[in-house]
Amino acid sequence: MLCEKFDNPGKVSFTTIPTKLDGDMTEAQALTRFAKQAIELGKLQELLSAAGTHALLVVLQGRDASGKDGAIKSVAGAMNPGGTRVAAFKVPTPEERAHDFLWRIHKQTPGKGEVVFFNRSHYEDILVVRVHNLAPKEVWEKRYEDINNFENLLTDNNVIVVKFFLHVSKDEQEKRLLDREANSEKSWKLNPSDWTERSFWDDYSAAYDDVLERCSMENAPWYVVPSDNKWFRNVAMAEVLIEALKPYKAEWKASLAKLGAEQKVALEKIRAESA
Ligand code: ADP
């Protein structure tokens, strides 16, 4: 596994995990490897979609400019858009705020046969909310357990849950933010608040440590992806997703074979009747 997996509650200090790895690959090798992975991912998604017995939820979290959009573009891009959706979670609207914090999230979860990528998620409610005191501690403190219960509910209903934290260094983030300023093609991504958020770097680190510590479960693991190298990030994420889906391959193929056999019988019956 190219990135670290957290699937049990326990003390974590993720800042000791490197942000930049190459996995013994050159960029060119990584691109070739990703192209192969993309084909495999596409096939797995096709099976998931056709079998219609499971769903896949991919949760993406990360600091500003950690590459959430790029990761979705690359990894979701390997799949058939017909069976894939992206849900982005921003500052809650008044209607969303009038409900419990999982209300807007639950509505966007994937149905059977579907893949959904969350660009930010319910975890914002124990990250930005905690860092900026948007709710009292007694409110957000309960949410770790609410989230674990919610994710258990999803996995009990055949949703495969994979959570990625895109891990970038403070220097890499600065480089990317400055690049947005300098490059007119990227300046639309400029958001002055990204610089303000940067000053809360350590508070976010502590909040992410608690997320990993308290919301890592065997059935809904977190993966910390070294993301300074975008090409490494894509290969690492694709590897995790392939590993998460592969165990179901035989089951999905068997249910499709059964479906195919039933359709053949139905077709033969129609032919016999019309002969
Ligand atoms: P992004 O940074 O994801 O590309 P935006 O610049 O629109 O997109 O930022 C979305 C903002 O919404 C982020 O600052 C994020 O922290 C904030 N946000 C998301 N969920 C919540 C929430 N539940 N409560 C408060 N703010 C939130």
Side-chain angles (χ1 to χ4, degrees):
M1 191 66 67
L2 290 168
C3 58
E4 205 155 324
K5 179 181 186 180
F6 294 89
D7 58 1
N8 269 305
K11 196 93 196 110
V12 172
S13 179
F14 81 93
T15 45
T16 58
I17 297 173
T19 56
K20 189 168 193 166
L21 286 181
D22 61 16
D24 288 329
M25 292 175 284
T26 62
E27 181 171 357
Q29 285 168 335
L31 294 179
T32 308
R33 181 158 165 190
F34 183 72
K36 285 191 194 139
Q37 289 174 312
I39 293 170
E40 192 170 356
L41 255 186
K43 284 185 184 157
L44 285 164
Q45 183 241 339
E46 194 175 68
L47 280 176
L48 174 141
S49 167
T53 53
H54 292 78
L56 172 66
L57 173 63
V58 182
V59 173
L60 273 158
Q61 284 291 152
R63 304 178 197 263
D64 294 315
S66 59
K68 296 186 289 296
D69 290 307
I72 291 174
K73 188 174 158 193
S74 301
V75 178
M79 301 181 180
N80 182 340
T84 315
R85 193 157 50 80
V86 180
F89 297 97
K90 312 242 174 207
V91 176
T93 63
E95 191 192 15
E96 289 168 348
R97 226 185 271 285
H99 292 81
D100 69 84
F101 79 104
L102 291 170
W103 180 75
R104 65 174 184 161
I105 309 288
H106 208 163
K107 285 200 289 189
Q108 297 291 349
T109 53
K112 293 196 170 81
E114 202 184 6
V115 177
V116 172
F117 287 81
F118 276 4
N119 186 344
R120 302 188 187 271
S121 66
H122 39 304
Y123 284 97
E124 291 293 325
D125 292 280
I126 44 174
L127 288 162
V128 66
V129 168
R130 164 176 162 167
V131 169
H132 289 291
N133 295 311
L134 302 179
K137 186 172 181 193
E138 55 275 21
V139 170
W140 57 255
E141 183 65 41
K142 291 195 183 118
R143 292 181 174 166
Y144 296 89
E145 200 183 336
D146 290 337
I147 287 176
N148 289 343
N149 289 335
F150 172 62
E151 291 178 359
N152 279 327
L153 175 70
L154 296 180
T155 59
D156 282 349
N157 282 278
N158 282 7
V159 182
I160 301 159
V161 178
V162 177
K163 302 176 293 194
F164 289 113
F165 171 67
L166 303 188
H167 185 30
V168 287
S169 67
K170 205 169 179 185
D171 285 349
E172 179 65 21
Q173 187 196 52
E174 183 177 33
K175 200 171 125 225
R176 291 184 188 180
L177 293 180
L178 289 173
D179 191 41
R180 287 178 182 179
E181 266 179 69
N183 184 337
S184 60
E185 280 181 21
K186 291 188 185 168
S187 56
W188 63 271
K189 289 190 193 172
L190 267 180
N191 184 349
S193 76
D194 290 349
W195 287 101
T196 336
E197 283 306 277
R198 204 173 136 74
S199 57
F200 293 92
W201 187 272
D202 293 337
D203 296 328
Y204 273 106
S205 298
Y208 270 112
D209 270 345
D210 275 359
V211 162
L212 294 168
E213 226 166 282
R214 300 172 67 177
C215 299
S216 293
M217 300 189 291
E218 205 181 333
N219 55 336
W222 272 105
Y223 295 87
V224 175
V225 187
S227 296
D228 283 359
N229 272 339
K230 294 174 185 170
W231 44 266
F232 176 87
R233 172 202 74 200
N234 290 345
V235 170
M237 286 177 66
E239 184 192 49
V240 167
L241 291 175
I242 289 168
E243 290 306 313
L245 297 178
K246 242 180 17 196
Y248 300 92
K249 200 171 166 177
E251 181 185 335
W252 292 338
K253 276 191 164 173
S255 72
L256 290 185
K258 190 165 163 262
L259 208 61
E262 284 165 8
Q263 300 289 43
K264 268 191 198 159
V265 170
L267 182 63
E268 275 158 22
K269 200 170 158 218
I270 290 172
R271 284 197 179 130
E273 280 167 4
S274 61

